[in-house]
Amino acid sequence: MGMANPGSSVVREVMTAGGWVMLVSLRSVVVSYTHTHTEDQYYWNNLAQEELSRTMNVKQNLGVAKNVIMFLGDGMSVPTITAARIYKGQKENRGGEEGSLTFETFPHVGLSKTYNVNKQVSDSASTATAYLTGVKTNYKTIGVDGTARYKDCSSVNEKNKVSSIVKWSQDAGKRTGVVTSTRVTHATPAGTYAHVADRDWECDGAIPKEAIKLCGNKVKDIARQLVEDEPGHSLNVVMGGGYQNLDAFAVGTPDDPLDTQWANCTRTDKRNLVQTWMNKKKSDGVTWAFARNKTAMLEVDTTNVEFFMGLFANGHLPYEFEKIQKKLDVPTLAEMTETAINILKQEPKGFFLLVEGGRIDHAHHDTVAHRALDETVAMDRAVEMALKLTSQEVRYSLQRERERERERERERARERERERARERERKREREFL
């Protein structure tokens, strides 16, 4: 696989995806390496000093977060990050290795252990449950603890359902949103609102007849949970693909065919859940908007809408390169992130937003590594967009004010202690007299 970028170098990375191991060779089409600096000893020494200075000046943030934005690169392993960093740099006509992805410049970084209650190799459903609720669970289940069994609808009950950070944020009076490049009923976004024994039950057509016979109305597909149940119904922003999973009458077009990808779903109950969502917003008396394409999304007045749903494809959104190459009327992940933040930030109490770069994983599964890197860089642009729309200075000024208030409280405590000491001294003097 070649990347025709000036000054590109040979990169060999081993990437794991879905249990497969790929050896990726990104071969150079030119022989020279693009240097952006004179990399002598002074360059490296200065770089080291700058890094040390930056690290030593990181301030500990002891404040309570008002807004939380969580970015999730599905399938974005460490080798993927390394290769994407180089790819990004080479697209900017640099060598590649000397640069950074935006999120790599954050002051803190960590690694997590990933596994299930019942399997060593996890999937996106069980892991979404883990990082969104704090509870590890069984393979391919969503929003339930380990007592719920995969594919067994009768094992899901009110006692083993677990709530996510979206529900906690809503309980705190914050606005909430989910942005994804996959179907909005897919594993990661569903982890914010659904409780289900099988991640593939995205619409009613995917639920086996045996499960319906066993559980009746108690088994509800993920799309219905998004529209009808809490906390899905109260999500202020929902953006991604999966229109077909909500509308039984969905039709395909040359630019947006009906979904035939793995685990696709077609409604059989003749419902249009998008219309149900709109009707409910009307009856609730709230301001709302719905969009099926980028043009309609950009026309939304983000300062005057409480709820927004954007479903830009019948299935997953196209890869980022397809949006550009085919000039599709589909927003990029960064554009969706911008719209989401502009809507959510209208709430004075703050917001929670989950942004998923979900097609990184799909590209790995399909063994198209170049697309995986492209999708990773697309998510990096979304992170950059979020940084532009949020103010670190405001965060730090609030933190400094809290620190000053704590110092004032400490001083008041010290003054109270001094007053008690003076009172004890006066008491001793009276006793002496």
Side-chain angles (χ1 to χ4, degrees):
M1 181 177 294
M3 293 190 299
N5 297 295
S8 62
S9 58
V10 174
V11 181
R12 294 183 186 274
E13 293 289 346
V14 176
M15 303 182 184
T16 60
W20 292 89
V21 177
M22 288 187 292
L23 180 63
V24 182
S25 178
L26 305 178
R27 296 193 177 278
S28 173
V29 295
V30 291
V31 294
S32 62
Y33 182 97
T34 302
H35 287 277
T36 53
H37 303 281
T38 302
E39 297 177 2
D40 57 15
Q41 59 181 304
Y42 303 105
Y43 166 77
W44 294 109
N45 288 332
N46 289 336
L47 186 64
Q49 292 301 316
E50 289 172 5
E51 290 282 354
L52 286 171
S53 177
R54 195 160 38 243
T55 301
M56 293 173 67
N57 283 289
V58 171
K59 293 182 175 63
Q60 185 179 9
N61 189 340
L62 301 176
V64 176
K66 175 183 177 182
N67 304 318
V68 176
I69 306 174
M70 179 177 183
F71 285 87
L72 192 286
D74 198 335
M76 194 178 68
S77 60
V78 173
T80 303
I81 293 174
T82 302
R85 179 195 314 128
I86 297 169
Y87 175 66
K88 175 186 176 182
Q90 293 180 343
K91 284 174 68 70
E92 296 170 352
N93 294 325
R94 296 183 289 119
E97 289 89 341
E98 76 278 31
S100 298
L101 296 168
T102 302
F103 53 82
E104 290 183 298
T105 64
F106 288 0
H108 304 289
V109 64
L111 294 173
S112 64
K113 291 193 293 183
T114 305
Y115 60 96
N116 294 149
V117 168
N118 63 337
K119 284 182 180 287
Q120 288 184 338
V121 179
S122 57
D123 76 302
S124 297
S126 53
T127 49
T129 302
Y131 59 71
L132 291 168
T133 75
V135 178
K136 284 189 178 291
T137 190
N138 289 324
Y139 186 66
K140 287 195 172 184
T141 62
I142 298 175
V144 289
D145 67 25
T147 62
R149 297 179 296 276
Y150 175 50
K151 287 185 177 294
D152 183 357
C153 59
S154 67
S155 68
V156 176
N157 54 62
E158 293 304 315
K159 290 184 178 180
N160 60 23
K161 291 180 181 179
V162 290
S163 59
S164 76
I165 189 172
V166 161
K167 181 64 167 63
W168 311 335
S169 300
Q170 291 174 0
D171 289 346
K174 298 179 183 293
R175 287 191 179 187
T176 53
V178 175
V179 169
T180 179
S181 54
T182 70
R183 298 185 293 259
V184 296
T185 51
H186 208 238
T188 298
T192 65
Y193 61 84
H195 310 280
V196 67
D198 188 341
R199 59 173 287 178
D200 293 337
W201 295 352
E202 295 186 48
C203 82
D204 68 306
I207 303 176
K209 293 179 180 178
E210 296 79 8
I212 297 174
K213 183 178 180 181
L214 175 65
C215 299
N217 293 331
K218 290 199 301 182
V219 58
K220 185 181 285 191
D221 61 85
I222 294 171
R224 282 185 61 198
Q225 291 188 47
L226 170 62
V227 172
E228 299 176 356
D229 297 349
E230 298 295 354
H233 169 69
S234 293
L235 279 165
N236 298 91
V237 173
V238 178
M239 277 193 274
Y243 181 83
Q244 177 178 316
N245 288 352
L246 279 77
D247 186 357
F249 306 100
V251 295
T253 68
D255 286 340
D256 183 23
L258 289 175
D259 189 9
T260 58
Q261 298 184 65
W262 181 78
N264 69 85
C265 193
T266 301
R267 298 204 69 82
T268 60
D269 57 7
K270 298 183 180 180
R271 295 193 187 196
N272 182 344
L273 295 178
V274 173
Q275 190 63 52
T276 301
W277 181 87
M278 292 190 287
N279 291 342
K280 190 65 170 67
K281 299 309 176 193
K282 290 176 184 176
S283 65
D284 289 344
V286 297
T287 55
W288 60 273
F290 174 77
R292 276 286 275 136
N293 53 52
K294 174 181 173 179
T295 300
M297 182 192 79
L298 295 178
E299 291 174 351
V300 173
D301 181 359
T302 57
T303 64
N304 192 35
V305 64
E306 297 169 79
F307 294 88
F308 174 66
M309 178 180 283
L311 300 177
F312 308 112
N314 279 310
H316 301 305
L317 298 191
Y319 286 121
E320 292 285 307
F321 90 96
E322 291 180 295
K323 299 174 187 176
I324 298 170
Q325 187 181 69
K326 297 180 180 179
K327 298 180 180 180
L328 300 177
D329 197 9
V330 179
T332 65
L333 195 63
E335 290 167 338
M336 290 190 290
T337 300
E338 180 179 17
T339 297
I341 292 175
N342 285 336
I343 293 172
L344 298 175
K345 72 180 183 182
Q346 304 304 318
E347 170 54 56
K349 292 183 180 180
F351 64 84
F352 170 80
L353 173 63
L354 171 66
V355 180
E356 182 199 21
R359 304 228 61 195
I360 302 168
D361 181 57
H362 295 172
H364 280 321
H365 280 293
D366 294 339
T367 65
V368 282
H370 194 172
R371 297 292 162 249
L373 306 187
D374 203 48
E375 292 295 306
T376 305
V377 172
M379 197 190 82
D380 186 62
R381 294 193 197 101
V383 175
E384 187 176 0
M385 175 61 71
L387 288 175
K388 289 179 180 177
L389 295 174
T390 55
S391 172
Q392 280 191 319
E393 185 54 40
V394 171
R395 290 198 296 272
Y396 286 132
S397 65
L398 289 171
Q399 180 183 342
R400 286 194 293 270
E401 180 56 36
R402 292 190 185 99
E403 289 172 350
R404 285 193 289 266
E405 179 56 36
R406 283 192 288 268
E407 181 54 39
R408 287 192 288 268
E409 180 56 38
R410 286 192 289 267
E411 181 55 36
R412 287 192 289 268
R414 288 191 290 267
E415 181 56 35
R416 288 193 294 269
E417 182 57 37
R418 286 193 291 266
E419 180 56 35
R420 284 193 289 267
R422 288 192 290 267
E423 181 58 33
R424 288 193 295 270
E425 184 61 29
R426 286 193 291 269
K427 183 178 180 181
R428 282 195 296 270
E429 289 177 356
R430 287 194 297 270
E431 291 172 349
F432 179 76
L433 293 174

